[in-house]
Amino acid sequence: MVLSLRDVSLSLQGNAGMVDILHDISLDVAARETVGLVGPSGSGKSSLLMLMGGLERATSGSVEALGNDLTAMDEDALARFRREHMGVVFQSFHLIPTMTALENVATPLELAGARDAFDRAAAELEAVGLGHRTGHYPAQMSGGEQQRVALARAAAPRPDVLLADEPTGNLDQATGEAIMDLLFGLRDRHGATLVLVTHSQELADRCDRTIRLVDGRLDRETRRTAEAAE
Amino acid sequence: MNWLTQAARIAGRELRGGLGGFYIFLACLALGVAAIAAVGSVRVSITEGLEREGRNILGGDVEVEWDFRGASEAERAYLASLGTLSEIHDFRSMAATGDGSEADRALTQVKAVDDLYPLVGEVELSPEIPLEEALAGDGVVVHPVLADRLGLEVGDALWLGSKPLTITALLRREPDAGADGFGLGPRTLVRRATLEESGLLSEGSMYETKYRLLLPAETSDDALDALKAATDTELEGTGARWRDRRNAAPQVERFVDRIGSFLVLVGLAGLAVGGVGVSAAVRAYLDRKTPVIATLKTVGAEGRTIFAAYLMQIGVLAAVGIVLGLILGVLIPLAAGPFIEARLPVPVALGIHPFPLVEAALYGALTALIFTLWPLARTEQVRAASLFRDVSGPARGLPRKRYMAALAISAALLIGLSAWLSGIPELALYAAGGILAALVVLVGAAWGVRALSRRLARTRLARGHPALRLALGAVGGPGGEATAVVLSLGLGLTVLAAVGQIDANMRAAIDRDLPEIAPSYFFVDIQPDQLSRFLERVQGDPAVNRVDYAPMLGGVVRSIGGTPAREIDHWVTRGDRRISFADALPAGTRLTAGEWWPEGYDGAPQISFAQEEAEEIGVEIGDEVVMNVLGRDITATVTSFREVDFSSGGIGFVMIFNEAALSGAPHTWLSTVYAEEEAEGQLLRDVAGDAPNITAIRVRDAIDLVTEALSALAAATSWGAGATLLTGFVVLIGAAAAGERGRVFEASVLKTLGATRGTILTSFAIRSALLGAAAGVVAIAGGAVAGWGVLTMVMEAPYAFEPVSALVIVLGGALATLLAGLAFAWRPLAARPARILRAQE
Ligand SMILES: Nc1ncnc2c1ncn2[C@@H]1O[C@H](COP(=O)(O)OP(=O)(O)OP(=O)(O)O)[C@@H](O)[C@H]1O
Ligand SMILES: [Mg+2]
């Protein structure tokens, strides 16, 4: 298993005491699998994705990724693990405002010690259709452009696992489809495992499996049937 | 509802959130205001005290003083015609426990008084007996310090000159102590009549006579002016010095003025440093409020409404800060009161003085306005569209003209006000100019380091070093904290470096100005018939290395080269001057122009003038100098110039006459003796035991006194430095705190991308180092310029760059900022990224 969650719960400190966000979630994701996380707003999709990336600490239960227990690792170990194996696209992108698009994309490559970081970053921006925007700062780009930079940044190091929170949320039909092709291309060409949070039926339909969350609980799991695949 | 009411409502709602996040703003403003209010209060307390108590401090309405002589019959009669007249002789002498060479001796400042003393005020004695009784017969009153030094108590014998007296009481309070300034020895009080047959106060010896006048009660200040004019005319050319109740303690006043003006300058610089902190705090606040402002605009608020709303909020906060500062400014002097009072020889009534408080409040309000107008004006430029960008870039370009005009007017008002109110307009203008120049240079340095970082980020150098590129991006990229940090750090470090330069230079001056081989003793008042015995004793002593001696008498310059003395503005022509005479050129003297008179010369009087003083006054060879010596006018021709070094602690006279011109006049001899330290004690006992009227001034004690005065100045500098340091530190913490939000966010994203804490911390450190270097270079240069300015203009001392102090201060300051920044980064680095990123959404 690439990802393996056992009885994971998450509670956060809210204004009026602890708020339970996720309850006893257990799920496994196999290698090269694509999983779509769906559910109503506020159901805990983003939170679950953060747990899978080791970006959030589970209140109880265990999270394993590629055989490593994420709950037992310290921040540096987690960072090194992500550097080598994981890409994350946030719901609100989180580009570094003091860096250009190109520098944003090159940063994880540099951190991983790549020599040709800038060339690869430029190629990656070309692939998301932003070859002409490399020198722009985040504040100078539209929401959709920023989202594509974020995606390029996550995909550039060719991660084993890509976690993406609404990767097509701000995009028009044509661009959205191009991005989907890019995501699934990562699986097809590099054997990446994808976990995607989405409200888009179209994107969910292309996944091997969709998991529906309601009120922080696993509600329903749908496996794509052979017919649907055709 | 008009726009101002709307603005007030918005401001009210925003302020409901409390003052959280504004502690730095409040601290910066309060500290600056408190420092200025405190210094102002103390200064006003002292000057008001001097004014109110002037009559008591002076011991009369008027004092007319002569050196080396008493008033003539005519002069005395004139003074007595003005009011009640009391006469005082003031001189240094040796107080001894006996008359032999076994006796202990100590230098004392003797005040020989008449029956009328004190004309005003009360002398307090212990035991509490009237002065009248204490000074009757051969009674003498001494300061407890002198009694301690000699191991004497009330009832013991004390010798003054060759006369044994009896200590009848210890002196607890001398009402007119402030008027005498800082003396060399502790006080002895005795009747003038008691000193007959003591061998002291003979003609030609060194003493001052003070004539105190009590005028009719209704004498106004105008009448006092008229009286002064009349007296100046009456006593012109006699060397008489006038002082009245309005400037009773000029030495203390000058001392307080000098320290006070310096501290006000430091306070203003501190306020400027605080202003940068205030500006940074407001900018950070408004940055955070960008979405609120954009939303308000979306729902129809006009630019002026929003500007007014935030101006009102800042106004309320500034008022709170200023009030806090004023409270502190009132409390600090009250708390420090006993400490200050103990160090000044005049009564200080520390209290609440409205004027310096209003002054400090005005400075604070103007500073707050100046440093917040710019970021406030920017709120008008926030566009509703910024809501739809993930990260809103800061507004660019200059604020609108009317805000620029308001800024210029406030700055001019602050500078003008400080120039006018501080009473040192020139210095205040220089200081304001210096601070302004520093700010401009720092803005330039910030711009430079940002441009450089942007360039470096694009070069090969940065590739493959994410920590470095990250730092370069943070410094050079948009919306960074770079400018604010360079400004606050730079200005803070500049002020600190300047204070450090001043401090180091003053300490160096204390060391440098101490003559390397100073004489052990000055012996004064040696009578001509005692000279040969005196020389026999000291020259015959193997422990004595060198003896210099010269005759001395007092004279008053009447005119030089035909110009009356009162028209020449130089210390040489003011009051009595000590002059000397010689036949042959004294050993070791170097002439720089003209010729020395031939041996045995007894023609028309000639003068050899000190080179430097001659240049300053404009004396030329061949000029005639008219000198009044003990009532007789002597006209002499300047025939040579000499090199005289007054700083070496040896004998130096501005004017030396040929021997025949003066040897007939009553005079005494002055001698400097250079001896081994072990031999000093016995030497003093022998000389004074043999001739009790000779006064010995131990040079080491005199130097200690000078060092003490300089140390007081150095201490004031240190206090000023401390206050600035505190403000600077608050500002730096503020800058670090203001940058925290951005850094925390960056750290979280970088961790997501795989950066370890080490990489992130390294990046933060490189960033601080870049900004610290830019600020530090400016600070070292600025500190040197400011230090030079203060030393040459305020302290009137030479300046030399002190590299160690500059480097230590700048490196220390930069390091402190770095550590503060890292400390702020620590918490977010340890947290899981999701918690922080979630809050950003
Ligand atoms: N810091 C927090 N403290 C308390 N509760 C929080 C906190 N952050 C989020 N929540 C709550 O956790 C729940 C799950 O949030 P999450 O962001 O995972 O939802 P989501 O399914 O991704 O929603 P969306 O589709 O709108 O993005 C929400 O109800 C939210 O209100
Ligand atoms: Mg979400």
Side-chain angles (χ1 to χ4, degrees), chain B residues 196-271:
Chain B
E196 299 296 344
E197 294 145 43
S198 66
L200 302 172
L201 288 174
S202 60
E203 232 181 338
S205 67
M206 284 170 73
Y207 61 91
E208 294 164 359
T209 46
K210 299 171 176 182
Y211 292 87
R212 302 254 173 94
L213 274 170
L214 209 53
L215 301 176
E218 67 277 11
T219 310
S220 66
D221 283 355
D222 287 342
L224 212 53
D225 277 334
L227 206 60
K228 177 176 180 344
T231 308
D232 278 351
T233 320
E234 180 73 28
L235 301 179
E236 200 203 322
T238 63
R241 288 197 300 275
W242 167 285
R243 221 185 324 158
D244 61 49
R245 62 185 182 219
R246 290 166 303 180
N247 58 345
Q251 276 191 22
V252 176
E253 220 169 309
R254 257 199 309 280
F255 183 73
V256 168
D257 252 14
R258 195 171 265 206
I259 292 191
S261 55
F262 174 66
L263 285 180
V264 167
L265 281 189
V266 174
L268 279 173
L271 201 55

Side-chain angles (χ1 to χ4, degrees), chain A residues 45-47 91 165-166 197:
Chain A
K45 305 181 295 293
S46 298
S47 305
Q91 192 166 5
D165 203 341
E166 308 236 21
V197 172

Side-chain angles (χ1 to χ4, degrees), chain B residues 630-701:
Chain B
L630 296 167
R632 188 166 64 95
D633 277 355
I634 298 174
T635 305
T637 311
V638 177
T639 51
S640 67
F641 290 154
R642 277 168 304 124
E643 240 175 30
V644 181
D645 181 7
F646 287 101
S647 71
S648 69
I651 296 178
F653 289 98
V654 175
M655 285 171 276
I656 297 182
F657 284 70
N658 65 301
E659 184 169 357
L662 292 180
S663 57
H667 60 268
T668 57
W669 287 75
L670 163 77
S671 171
T672 54
V673 174
Y674 298 72
E676 306 294 337
E677 199 175 344
E678 314 80 73
E680 283 177 6
Q682 192 53 48
L683 195 68
L684 175 64
R685 280 192 288 275
D686 287 356
V687 169
D690 193 41
N693 64 299
I694 295 178
T695 302
I697 299 164
R698 197 154 170 266
V699 174
R700 241 176 280 278
D701 295 341

